[in-house]
Amino acid sequence: MTALANPPTATPDAYARQMTRLTLVWVAVGLVLFPILALLGLVMRTLQAGYFRATPPEWFDAVMTLHGLGMVGVWFVAGLAALSFVLSAYVRPSLTVSKLALAMTALGVILLLVATLVGRLGVGWYFLHPLPFHSTDTWPAWATGALFGALAILGVGWTLWAADILRAIAARYRLSEALGWSYLSGRTDVEAPPVVVIAWVSCIGVLAGLVAAVVILLLVAIEVIGGTAPSDALLIKNLTFYFGHMLVNITMYFGVGLVYEIMPAYTGRPWKINALVVISWNTVLALVMFAYFHHLYMDFAQPRWLQVVGQVSSYLISVPAAVVTIFSALVLVYHSQERWSLAPTLLYLGVMGWAIGGVGAMIDSTITVNQQFHNTLWVPAHFHTYYLMGVVLMILGAVYHLATALTSERRELSAARRLAVAVLRLRSGDGAGSALLGHVPPDRARHDCDGIHAGHVQPWPSVGPACRRVMVSGRPEVSVHSVRALAS
Amino acid sequence: MNPSLAIFLVSTLVIAATFLWVARSTSEPGAIDYARANRLRGVFGVSLGVILAIFLVLTLPRLPYPVEAAAPAHVVNVVGKQYAFSVSESPGPQSLATWEAEFSPVVEVLQGALVEFRVRTLDVNHGLGIYTPQGALLAQTQAMPGYVNRLRVQFDQPARIPRCVWNSVACRTTRCVP
């Protein structure tokens, strides 16, 4: 890992620039793939609705496989890229490892596209063993090889990436600090921010999930290449759903970590580490590894006590999420100076979607209910609620926030100049609104400022904050936010 | 309405209303009383804990998994393959090669009797669902290579099985006799 770390000659500014550029590439990949994969979801629903009856049925399964694996993968990498960017304010993740992960992701995606769209591989995201080897001539053997090749490449790339994040955190914080235990013991001299604790917990979860995937690949390889007896189907199913469960839940935590870090910038209130946050995320780390049993309720051969552990863990893990994170997010916003621009709105809605989808997930994690809901539309419905309306909104909000900040930095000089001119005009009684808002008509600008004072919804939210800051205080505040507002 | 759906819809309304209320509060910025907020957090946490405990107490004793103390009145063997199930009182097909010869098309079970479906598969994992004639799901389990999953059902109405999740095209039926 040391060999892959950044060269010591890289200056902080150069590192920041490269990190910015790399993050934008990751985000661009996500934003390009997302609508395509979403379109595939629409295709599936259209086929289910009875349209395009001439389409061979194996296409549905192939599209479902690509949609499932693709969506989870896209938001995993987008989330981890955004989290890495945010973390780079505290620690120094390797750019080289991130680039390597990007290259391996691109290769894995190409293999996956070929396997599904050319080979018509239709095994679902869970590629449940031994289905990939029982195609009944629906897909060729090379498509199965391409799938496992893609999984291996993606698995290695993402394992390196997550391990590097842990390395970067460990380079600055001890284990007890990264997990917040030092805070519990009363040591507050080295205080890791919540996003560091969440990133640590998340990346441990990623590694645990990817280790399960590696074991699956090894077992399958031993069976297929070595010609040994068939692998234990229940064991492989446990490993498969452990892998998938961890990957999806950790992606959620990436989004939540971004909310912890970014939301305070809009509410004007800190979201600092405290005992509750530490206990909450350590509890999550312990419970998320056992909650995956809820995926195997319909496997009656699974020991009964493991099924009970699945339900109890699924119930318990909702407590830190609801009582600590979601409640704290509401406290953070309540009567705050939140300006509902796009980024905080998406972050806030993401938390709400997470909460609503979480209720659907908890209901489904009840064994007696799951017996009715398993393999029904309830499963994709609740999943899409907390994923599409939860983590996706969180990551999009974070990406918009980061993109706005990056754009503002470029324009900061010119914006500051405009602000200075505006201040001069304000002092000379030249009409604050038109001067501050530039192209905005004076009557409209006055309306906006009045609207802000009256607590109305701001028609042009990017203009409002700067206007308010100047008008309310009676003197200009040259803050980052006001400059950004003008620049945008 | 399905109770689970009702719980979900009510919870969704409460959550959405809470988020909307909090969002609207930002029109009047002000300081927040953190002590009061934490007291409310405590009440919320205890309430959530009590609700979860109640649901655990109510649902865990009703698990669908077989308990050895209760012997089934009737045993039905279900064997899955791509894309069909064999349902029989005999052990059923032992391999894909003998599938056609050992396939049993119809099984009759008594209404009200405890029936145990012993579900296995000859190839890959399958989902097995038992539906009412109206298409409502009565019970389900999965077939897994190398394992026998035992699903116990008491029929109080006619039922048809099975359903195979992987594009089932050749499923046969069983009949529940009143």
Side-chain angles (χ1 to χ4, degrees):
Chain A
M1 193 61 65
T2 308
L4 293 171
N6 302 303
T9 52
T11 64
D13 283 350
Y15 174 81
R17 273 198 304 274
Q18 290 177 48
M19 173 58 88
T20 302
R21 202 173 298 134
L22 194 54
T23 305
L24 290 177
V25 173
W26 274 113
V27 168
V29 169
L31 293 182
V32 167
L33 289 178
F34 174 54
I36 297 171
L37 293 167
L39 201 61
L40 292 180
L42 188 64
V43 168
M44 287 161 60
R45 297 298 285 158
T46 308
L47 290 172
Q48 284 180 326
Y51 294 96
F52 310 118
R53 291 182 183 276
T55 308
E58 61 266 27
W59 270 111
F60 180 90
D61 296 335
V63 167
M64 180 181 71
T65 305
L66 182 58
H67 174 81
L69 279 171
M71 277 295 194
V72 169
V74 158
W75 292 109
F76 173 82
V77 297
L80 190 49
L83 192 66
S84 298
F85 184 86
V86 166
L87 279 173
S88 65
Y90 308 100
V91 298
R92 196 160 172 163
S94 165
L95 297 169
T96 311
V97 172
S98 182
K99 287 175 187 169
L100 182 65
L102 181 61
M104 295 179 84
T105 301
L107 186 57
V109 167
I110 290 170
L111 282 173
L112 193 60
L113 287 170
V114 171
T116 51
L117 297 184
V118 180
R120 298 190 188 185
L121 179 92
V123 294
W125 78 258
Y126 30 79
F127 49 91
L128 205 52
H129 188 71
L131 182 62
F133 301 97
H134 287 73
S135 74
T136 58
D137 296 328
T138 305
W139 61 84
W142 64 258
T144 298
L147 169 75
F148 283 111
L151 292 172
I153 292 167
L154 292 171
V156 171
W158 296 351
T159 300
L160 288 174
W161 198 9
D164 179 68
I165 301 286
L166 291 175
R167 176 205 59 76
I169 294 174
R172 175 169 176 184
Y173 302 99
R174 292 179 186 172
L175 176 67
S176 60
E177 294 162 355
L179 281 171
W181 299 341
S182 55
Y183 189 89
L184 292 181
S185 64
R187 268 196 62 204
T188 54
D189 51 328
V190 181
E191 190 178 281
V195 69
V196 169
V197 175
I198 295 170
W200 185 270
V201 165
S202 301
C203 288
I204 289 176
V206 171
L207 291 187
L210 290 172
V211 164
V214 169
V215 174
I216 296 168
L217 294 177
L218 283 176
L219 287 173
V220 171
I222 291 170
E223 178 186 330
V224 174
I225 300 171
T228 59
S231 303
D232 187 294
L234 186 56
L235 171 64
I236 291 204
K237 196 168 186 181
N238 270 277
L239 289 168
T240 304
F241 279 93
Y242 181 79
F243 156 69
H245 170 86
M246 293 301 285
L247 213 63
V248 166
N249 276 272
I250 295 305
T251 305
M252 284 292 327
Y253 301 156
F254 290 162
V256 174
L258 293 168
V259 173
Y260 266 82
E261 182 68 11
I262 297 171
M263 204 68 179
Y266 294 93
T267 60
R269 290 173 179 159
W271 197 343
K272 297 184 71 177
I273 196 86
N274 58 39
L276 266 181
V277 171
V278 171
I279 293 170
S280 158
W281 283 96
N282 279 269
T283 308
V284 165
L285 177 60
L287 289 175
V288 72
M289 307 220 183
F290 298 101
Y292 91 94
F293 287 123
H294 60 221
H295 295 283
L296 288 101
Y297 286 159
M298 289 305 104
D299 295 301
F300 285 35
Q302 180 95 321
R304 183 189 176 97
W305 66 272
L306 288 182
Q307 312 285 29
V308 174
V309 167
Q311 181 174 337
V312 173
S313 302
S314 304
Y315 274 31
L316 289 180
I317 204 168
S318 69
V319 176
V323 177
V324 179
T325 299
I326 295 171
F327 191 91
S328 296
L330 291 169
V331 171
L332 193 74
V333 171
Y334 186 65
H335 281 300
S336 72
Q337 293 185 341
E338 178 78 64
R339 303 174 306 274
W340 293 102
S341 57
L342 187 59
T345 304
L346 289 173
L347 293 170
Y348 189 69
L349 288 176
V351 176
M352 188 179 78
W354 181 37
I356 292 172
V359 172
M362 276 187 58
I363 291 171
D364 196 35
S365 74
T366 307
I367 297 170
T368 51
V369 175
N370 188 269
Q371 207 195 5
Q372 298 296 317
F373 285 4
H374 203 95
N375 274 345
T376 69
L377 272 177
W378 186 276
V379 181
H382 87 255
F383 178 83
H384 281 74
T385 306
Y386 68 67
Y387 214 71
L388 192 58
M389 296 303 295
V391 67
V392 171
L393 293 188
M394 291 178 193
I395 295 174
L396 285 177
V399 165
Y400 186 81
H401 167 82
L402 298 176
T404 307
L406 295 172
T407 310
S408 297
E409 280 172 14
R410 288 184 181 176
R411 298 182 186 172
E412 198 156 330
L413 280 177
S414 63
R417 190 165 54 242
R418 287 163 58 194
L419 185 63
V421 172
V423 171
L424 288 174
R425 290 188 181 181
L426 177 66
R427 286 183 172 173
S428 64
D430 193 26
S434 60
L436 274 171
L437 305 177
H439 62 281
V440 181
D443 54 341
R444 182 63 179 270
R446 178 69 64 189
H447 169 78
D448 285 349
C449 292
D450 293 341
I452 291 161
H453 285 298
H456 296 156
V457 175
Q458 303 162 21
W460 296 338
S462 63
V463 172
C467 179
R468 173 169 56 181
R469 282 172 184 276
V470 174
M471 294 298 287
V472 170
S473 65
R475 60 187 176 82
E477 293 178 41
V478 187
S479 70
V480 173
H481 288 298
S482 59
V483 169
R484 281 179 188 163
L486 281 170
S488 60
Chain B
M1 181 185 286
N2 183 299
S4 300
L5 185 59
I7 291 171
F8 176 73
L9 291 178
V10 169
S11 303
T12 300
L13 283 176
V14 170
I15 292 169
T18 305
F19 272 75
L20 182 64
W21 172 64
V22 170
R24 286 176 63 89
S25 74
T26 59
S27 62
E28 296 174 6
I32 191 163
D33 183 348
Y34 283 103
R36 188 168 168 234
N38 281 331
R39 282 198 298 275
L40 187 60
R41 186 199 302 273
V43 171
F44 174 52
V46 170
S47 306
L48 182 61
V50 169
I51 290 170
L52 293 178
I54 289 172
F55 273 94
L56 283 174
V57 168
L58 288 177
T59 58
L60 284 181
R62 301 172 60 198
L63 300 184
Y65 312 116
V67 179
E68 297 303 334
H74 203 114
V75 173
V76 176
N77 291 293
V78 181
V79 184
K81 72 155 192 168
Q82 291 173 310
Y83 298 92
F85 278 105
S86 165
V87 185
S88 66
E89 290 174 284
S90 66
Q94 298 302 306
S95 71
L96 291 172
T98 61
W99 177 269
E100 289 301 330
E102 299 176 36
F103 190 95
S104 176
V106 176
V107 168
E108 295 182 352
V109 294
L110 290 175
Q111 186 176 21
L114 182 63
V115 181
E116 180 172 296
F117 292 90
R118 294 181 179 169
V119 184
R120 57 191 177 86
T121 172
L122 297 178
D123 45 29
V124 299
N125 292 272
H126 297 276
L128 173 80
I130 301 174
Y131 291 81
T132 66
Q134 290 75 37
L137 183 65
L138 279 177
Q140 63 173 321
T141 186
Q142 298 200 352
M144 180 185 294
Y147 286 88
V148 177
N149 281 333
R150 296 185 297 147
L151 171 66
R152 291 187 171 183
V153 185
Q154 258 179 318
F155 291 100
D156 57 3
Q157 55 183 314
R160 64 184 170 88
I161 62 168
R163 176 182 72 105
C164 171
V165 294
W166 290 101
N167 299 327
S168 174
V169 291
C171 295
R172 310 293 174 95
T173 61
T174 190
R175 193 150 43 98
C176 179
V177 181

